[in-house]
Amino acid sequence: MENPMQHNQSKLFVNNMMESAIRIGLLFILVVWTFDIIKPFVIPVLWGAIIAVALMPMTQKLERALKGRRGLAATILAIAGITLLIAPFWIVSSSLFEGVSHAIEVLQSGEVDIPGPTQKIADIPLIGGKLFEAWALFADNLEKAVMHFLPQIKTAVSAAAGMLGSSLGTLVMFIISLAIAGGFMAHAEKSAAAVSTVAVKIAGSHGEEWTTLTAATIRSVLLGVVGVAFIQSILIGSALFTFSIPAAGLFTFIVFILGIAQLPPLLVVLPLIFYVFSTHDSTAATIFTVWVLVAGVSDSILKPMLMGRGVDVPMPVILIGAIGGMLTAGIIGLFLGAVVLAIWYELFMTWLKAEEALAKPSDAANAAEDKLVSAPAPATESADS
């Protein structure tokens, strides 16, 4: 027969377990609902915070010039950033629209005159033969060539339409992020204090130090990766527009994406050099080649100038972060992924160094103890009579 006291304790234990399970379940539901509500704003807020950290030194300089008007300085920088986003996007979109419109007009008029390929095209290693045949087919019989490559053309048009739609969404996301960054910069002290408090709660005594390292990493990656990619794309894009390269805006954007992904812009530039040599005179083609090649290797000079001292993130880390971020969150993830993974890499390396520093004193103490134990005892002098 069961003891009444044991029965009551068992019943109380079951009741406590049921109440705990209900509380945990309700808390889980609340967390899931909360995440669903804030999910659309996570990436803009995170990217806005990263932009705010990167632009904070510039905001402080502008604030001093405006006699302490922090809000006005933050607003000016946010508007300037939005303008710098919209202007290149407008140029690239106009270039694409003009190219498509011109192609449609030419096709409708029926006066399509595609120049045939030269022997230089056929001499290109690996792809020269197939490229020569396809180009010659389009030059000799456009209708037959279109019917032959119709599946590939449909795929390319669909991909271009999807890219344009994604670019519009990304532009809106960037504008929202810049507006959020302006708010963070206007209230930088309160935001920094809140972040430091949370970091100390999570990481303990190293929280404030890691917060400083995170800010330095953000500035370093944005300037040394995104900034260099932007400068390279401007230099190469100016050459493409100067020499009237078809779809110059699209190629400029691709160069920018490759620069962020830490891939050489020569992947785009080299085929364009062959194209210019086949369509322009040798002098213009030589000038174009020198221009784009110098711009393509300019990152080796710009990165040491713009990357922060003491922050050396390996290229594979940036590449994995950029590609993974793009697969996860689209084009904006290209920037966000590189920065976030670089932050985690720097924090991880700092943690490893801290562990090594803590281990060294104990190792030194053990070595000293071993040396003391192994040392021979001092010889006592014998008393000579």
Side-chain angles (χ1 to χ4, degrees), residues 95-168:
S95 174
L96 291 175
F97 181 76
E98 290 176 2
V100 172
S101 300
H102 178 70
I104 292 175
E105 290 178 359
V106 171
L107 291 174
Q108 289 178 345
S109 64
E111 300 176 356
V112 182
D113 185 17
I114 300 177
T118 62
Q119 186 59 34
K120 294 180 180 179
I121 301 298
D123 294 336
I124 298 176
L126 300 178
I127 63 172
K130 293 183 178 180
L131 183 60
F132 184 89
E133 293 177 2
W135 192 337
L137 181 60
F138 274 95
D140 297 337
N141 193 333
L142 180 61
E143 184 177 355
K144 182 179 178 181
V146 170
M147 294 301 298
H148 183 269
F149 292 100
L150 187 59
Q152 292 85 347
I153 293 174
K154 288 182 177 179
T155 303
V157 171
S158 300
M163 183 180 296
L164 181 60
S166 176
S167 301
L168 286 172

Side-chain angles (χ1 to χ4, degrees), residues 46-47 49-57 191-192 195-196 198-200 202-203 206-223 308-313 336 338-351:
L46 183 59
W47 185 236
I50 289 174
I51 294 174
V53 171
L55 295 182
M56 199 58 218
S191 302
V195 171
S196 297
V198 173
V200 170
I202 295 175
H206 295 288
E208 190 170 352
E209 176 187 351
W210 287 11
T211 302
T212 304
L213 177 63
T214 298
T217 304
I218 288 173
R219 296 191 183 105
S220 176
V221 173
L222 280 184
L223 291 176
R309 294 182 179 179
V311 178
D312 186 16
V313 182
L336 194 59
V339 175
V340 170
L341 208 61
I343 291 172
W344 281 114
Y345 172 81
E346 284 294 330
L347 292 178
F348 179 71
M349 295 303 297
T350 303
W351 175 72

